[in-house]
Amino acid sequence: MAEVEYLNTDAGRRIAYHRTEGKGPWLVFLGGLKSDMEGTKAIHLEAWAKSRGQAFLRFDYSGHGHSSGRFEEGCIGDWAEDTAAALSALTEGRVILVGSSMGGWQSLLFARAHPDRMGGLVTIAAAPDFTEDGYWASFTDAQKAALQQDGQVELPSDYMDPYIVTRRMIEDGRTQLVLRTPLDLPFPVRMLQGTADSAVSTERATALLDHATSPDMRLTLVKDADHRFSDGTCLKLLENAVLEVMNP
């Protein structure tokens, strides 16, 4: 196993990454909230890219995995800065982004800010705007009051330990929303979504499909697949989706 490498960003964060040289375009995996670069999908894609001789990058946002910082101190904007810094320093030319859950939101933020770098996009249970439409919209009055008074609330999860949602995450999230204004994705897009996903609904997937404009955008619903989307069938669908956006 290769040693973890680190990138020191202009924002003062230390970002852990694994980088594999190869032919372009660079394939970059963007993980989900409280996930890390050692997940099944990231490792599988890395091995697959290596078998093809293709350049590949996986990394941990600040407050995640091996990177610096605490999760509770971070927000969507911080992780967007981490993503932009990693892609600027560690990749060249056009990129194919694979964004899982919150990584789907991050991939859309990068694509909006750097359309010239985008060769294609694959999302897995993309969760754009979830801090507003998921967290804030579902909070009770008591939770909203606690957020204002204490600066944070604790939420359970079907896929991880309970985690902290901070007022900063909610307030910053409102400055990063992508479904309230036009979202042009002028490159091939493939969206993958499991129907048994209890973290991100199929309605969220169709909302993104309806909202964005793209010359080649398709949504694949996989019956009974859950949020992890990491069994053999799902991983093969992921490979095929990458090939489709890379060779439209």
Side-chain angles (χ1 to χ4, degrees), residues 59-237:
F59 65 93
D60 288 330
Y61 312 111
S62 53
H64 293 68
H66 295 286
S67 291
S68 67
R70 296 174 57 244
F71 172 78
E72 292 79 7
E73 296 171 344
C75 62
I76 301 300
D78 290 348
W79 303 323
E81 290 176 357
D82 297 343
T83 299
L87 267 67
S88 175
L90 304 173
T91 69
E92 307 91 31
R94 298 251 173 173
V95 295
I96 304 293
L97 300 186
V98 178
S100 176
S101 194
M102 191 269 285
W105 189 357
Q106 291 296 335
S107 66
L108 295 169
L109 288 169
F110 183 87
R112 187 171 68 179
H114 306 278
D116 57 308
R117 294 289 316 274
M118 294 295 298
L121 171 62
V122 177
T123 66
I124 309 150
D129 300 5
F130 72 84
T131 54
E132 189 70 11
D133 298 337
Y135 292 164
W136 182 256
S138 66
F139 282 170
T140 64
D141 290 343
Q143 286 175 313
K144 290 179 179 179
L147 196 70
Q148 293 301 318
Q149 178 177 329
D150 304 329
Q152 63 183 45
V153 293
E154 184 177 285
L155 296 182
S157 169
D158 290 340
Y159 298 97
M160 63 186 82
D161 293 334
Y163 56 95
I164 301 298
V165 175
T166 64
R167 184 169 63 196
R168 180 171 183 255
M169 182 185 286
I170 295 295
E171 292 177 347
D172 170 82
R174 290 179 179 139
T175 72
Q176 309 294 335
L177 303 175
V178 296
L179 298 181
R180 270 71 173 174
T181 54
L183 181 62
D184 186 29
L185 306 175
F187 43 79
V189 180
R190 295 294 180 271
M191 302 167 58
L192 304 173
Q193 175 72 44
T195 64
D197 190 329
S198 62
V200 178
S201 68
T202 55
E203 287 78 15
R204 177 87 330 195
T206 55
L208 175 58
L209 183 72
D210 290 342
H211 179 74
T213 56
S214 170
D216 181 10
M217 186 174 190
R218 302 177 198 173
L219 167 63
T220 298
L221 297 179
V222 183
K223 186 173 176 60
D224 296 331
D226 66 13
H227 193 62
R228 294 181 180 87
F229 208 86
S230 57
D231 66 16
T233 299
C234 290
L235 293 174
K236 187 62 178 178
L237 285 170

Side-chain angles (χ1 to χ4, degrees), residues 13-96:
R13 305 185 191 107
R14 191 167 185 250
I15 303 302
Y17 68 90
H18 284 284
R19 180 180 186 271
T20 304
E21 289 277 3
K23 65 185 178 183
W26 278 85
L27 183 60
V28 182
F29 184 80
L30 304 180
L33 190 74
K34 291 200 77 175
S35 296
D36 59 41
M37 62 176 170
E38 306 300 332
T40 301
K41 294 185 289 293
I43 298 298
H44 178 86
L45 277 179
E46 180 181 65
W48 181 72
K50 284 181 178 179
S51 73
R52 294 168 41 80
Q54 186 171 1
F56 183 83
L57 174 69
R58 56 186 169 101
F59 65 93
D60 288 330
Y61 312 111
S62 53
H64 293 68
H66 295 286
S67 291
S68 67
R70 296 174 57 244
F71 172 78
E72 292 79 7
E73 296 171 344
C75 62
I76 301 300
D78 290 348
W79 303 323
E81 290 176 357
D82 297 343
T83 299
L87 267 67
S88 175
L90 304 173
T91 69
E92 307 91 31
R94 298 251 173 173
V95 295
I96 304 293

